[in-house]
Amino acid sequence: MTATLPVAPATRPSMTIRGHWIDDWRPEDPAFWEAYGARVARRNLIFSIFSEHIGFSVWTMWSVLVLFLGPAYGIDPAGKFLLTAVPALVGAALRIPYTFAVARFGGRNWTIVSATLLLVPAILAAFLIKPGVSYTTLLIMAAVAGVGGGNFASSMANINAFYPDRLKGWALGINAGGGNIGVAAVQLVGLAVLATLGAGHPGAVAGIYIPLIVIAALCAALFMDNLSHARNEKRAMREATREPHTWIMSLLYIGTFGSFIGFGFAFGQVLQVQFHDTFSTPVKAAYLTFLGPLLGSLIRPVGGLLADRLGGARVTFVNFAAMALGASIVLVASQQHSLPMYLVGFIALFVFSGVGNGSTYKMIPAILRAKCAARAMKGADPREAEHEARRLSNALIGIAGAIGAFGGVLVNLAFRQSFLAYKSADAAYLAFIAFYLVCLAVTWTVYLRPSPGRLRGV
């Protein structure tokens, strides 16, 4: 007779929580991830996307509000492009401090703060935009809207800490795409207001977002968490500034994300100015302005997937060639006053800037992994080299994200200067073509050209 011994139950991993602070977070542990991690990370991802989405909408709200600024406001096209360049500049500048804020204050806590701050530009725009308001006041209100631009950086840093390495690409891609769609969303809100209330109610666009901002802050307070282990690695940021690839990738990201956010700000204005006979009223322009940002946001994950299959540098190289072609089509269409050709070219710019967002982001960790492998082959400790690559990768992404967002400023300043000097946008299109060709050449020279020092797998 054989006795059956009782089997001890499998040890269930634990998670230590103090209020909304999680003290024990082990996403790389498969048992922990299955028992607790996946559910908690998914919940934080959902509400982080919601807050970031609203942040993007507030950041780019002035791309819609300038459509309401008719003759009664006395602002010329150059003045309107400055109104859209200012929030782009402030948003770009805030990205690095917002990245540090997550580890300093906690992801949940900073999401509450950053979401609540969005009330300031929304309330100002809801009540102060009316004929007779000074241009200086409008500039200040546009600058305050830049706080929404920092939300992307803090959201990405927060979600990056929640997910294991094997799922970071997917999680960060979903997070970024959900935020970017906020650009198209605010365009649709503007279209709805123009279609129902008319061009005399710009404050209604901002007013719609006030309750949504309150909901986002409340959801962050109720459903999100802070991670105690998240720490700022200040030396990593300092060391990343000494890494040549940081500045190369920042240049390329200006060409991709900078183009996306810059065209998102400027598209509606350019349509009204270049094709005034067709888009004589703001509502006519608003029917099309959301389409480009929407497609560019939705296709961003495709750029990452293509980079996984074909290599990030190869996809980025082809992408810049396509963007140069798209800008060339826009230039020819502008000179021939062909609206269909113009729309094809501009939509292509949005789509390929979205693809490039995904492929350039994929290049960054690949570059540092390749350098890590090269150091390991020369005798360095493989584990230390891998840790160093991951540490610098996070810092490089933060720097490139901030500098890339500055591209939105450059796009709007290029349009402004072109209209001031030549009364058309053709000079700006020529500048864009030249810049994309420079990015094409840099990508080939640094990452694709056969040479002994070429980084493998980028």
Side-chain angles (χ1 to χ4, degrees):
M1 180 175 174
T2 305
T4 304
L5 298 175
V7 179
T11 303
R12 184 178 177 84
S14 61
M15 182 172 66
T16 307
I17 304 176
R18 290 181 293 111
H20 285 277
W21 285 91
I22 299 177
D23 294 327
D24 180 24
W25 185 254
R26 291 168 280 121
E28 302 296 345
D29 180 346
F32 177 88
W33 183 253
E34 184 177 350
Y36 301 106
R39 173 171 46 85
V40 174
R42 190 182 309 113
R43 170 164 45 80
N44 279 271
L45 174 63
I46 290 170
F47 292 104
S48 181
I49 289 174
F50 181 39
S51 178
E52 180 200 355
H53 176 92
I54 302 299
F56 257 98
S57 291
V58 171
W59 186 28
T60 56
M61 187 177 292
W62 279 84
S63 67
V64 174
L65 294 178
V66 292
L67 299 179
F68 289 80
L69 305 182
Y73 291 84
I75 304 172
D76 63 7
K80 291 182 180 180
F81 282 117
L82 186 58
L83 284 173
T84 53
V86 167
L89 174 62
V90 174
L94 288 177
R95 284 193 162 196
I96 289 179
Y98 266 57
T99 299
F100 284 124
V102 169
R104 178 67 180 84
F105 302 105
R108 165 189 175 267
N109 294 351
W110 186 248
T111 303
I112 297 170
V113 172
S114 61
T116 304
L117 284 174
L118 299 175
L119 286 171
V120 179
I123 291 172
L124 290 176
F127 294 102
L128 296 184
I129 301 179
K130 56 188 67 176
V133 65
S134 71
Y135 186 68
T136 301
T137 301
L138 292 173
L139 276 176
I140 292 172
M141 286 193 286
V144 174
V147 297
N151 286 31
F152 172 83
S154 57
S155 180
M156 293 291 274
N158 186 37
I159 295 306
N160 183 63
F162 272 98
Y163 276 83
D165 284 346
R166 69 183 187 279
L167 296 177
K168 284 185 191 293
W170 171 83
L172 293 177
I174 294 293
N175 193 55
N180 287 357
I181 291 176
V183 182
V186 75
Q187 305 279 359
L188 288 171
V189 169
L191 172 61
V193 171
L194 285 167
T196 55
L197 300 178
H201 298 83
V205 177
I208 287 171
Y209 277 94
I210 292 174
L212 296 176
I213 293 168
V214 173
I215 292 171
L218 287 174
C219 286
L222 294 172
F223 304 116
M224 292 185 70
D225 303 290
N226 303 304
L227 295 179
S228 300
H229 80 279
R231 293 289 182 270
N232 285 322
E233 301 214 40
K234 296 180 181 178
R235 284 193 305 165
M237 190 70 73
R238 194 181 308 122
E239 290 168 21
T241 62
R242 303 190 191 112
E243 169 59 61
H245 291 284
T246 297
W247 307 110
I248 295 170
M249 291 308 303
S250 295
L251 174 74
L252 301 184
Y253 203 55
I254 286 175
T256 56
F257 181 77
S259 295
F260 171 80
I261 200 67
F263 293 145
F265 273 112
F267 189 33
Q269 296 179 73
V270 175
L271 280 178
Q272 276 203 293
V273 175
Q274 296 239 228
F275 297 93
H276 182 70
D277 51 343
T278 304
F279 302 102
S280 55
T281 63
V283 69
K284 292 181 180 179
Y287 276 119
L288 291 174
T289 52
F290 76 92
L291 186 58
L294 178 62
L295 293 175
S297 300
L298 292 176
I299 206 166
R300 177 170 179 151
V302 174
L305 291 172
L306 288 173
D308 284 339
R309 289 175 176 268
L310 305 174
R314 190 177 302 171
V315 173
T316 299
F317 177 82
V318 174
N319 193 73
F320 278 124
M323 291 183 74
L325 177 61
S328 301
I329 293 172
V330 170
L331 175 62
V332 172
S334 174
Q335 294 173 340
Q336 296 185 357
H337 206 69
S338 170
L339 179 59
M341 187 189 301
Y342 189 86
L343 291 175
V344 167
F346 234 117
I347 295 300
L349 283 173
F350 273 112
V351 168
F352 287 111
S353 67
V355 171
N357 281 341
S359 65
T360 49
Y361 246 57
K362 285 284 186 179
M363 285 176 68
I364 291 173
I367 289 167
L368 293 169
R369 278 198 304 270
K371 295 191 73 172
C372 154
R375 283 198 301 274
M377 289 180 66
K378 293 178 181 178
D381 182 348
R383 289 187 178 182
E384 278 188 26
E386 186 177 349
H387 172 73
E388 183 73 3
R390 189 180 300 116
R391 193 171 66 93
L392 290 180
S393 177
N394 292 337
L396 200 160
I397 285 173
I399 294 172
I403 296 175
F406 183 72
V409 184
L410 299 179
V411 167
N412 283 271
L413 290 181
F415 278 124
R416 179 178 186 271
Q417 191 59 36
S418 184
F419 279 109
L420 278 175
Y422 305 106
K423 307 302 179 185
S424 78
D426 290 358
Y429 302 139
L430 286 170
F432 300 151
I433 294 168
F435 183 74
Y436 298 145
L437 291 177
V438 168
C439 291
L440 183 82
V442 168
T443 305
W444 166 259
T445 303
V446 179
Y447 300 114
L448 292 176
R449 180 175 57 91
S451 68
R454 178 184 171 186
L455 295 174
R456 303 297 175 185
V458 176

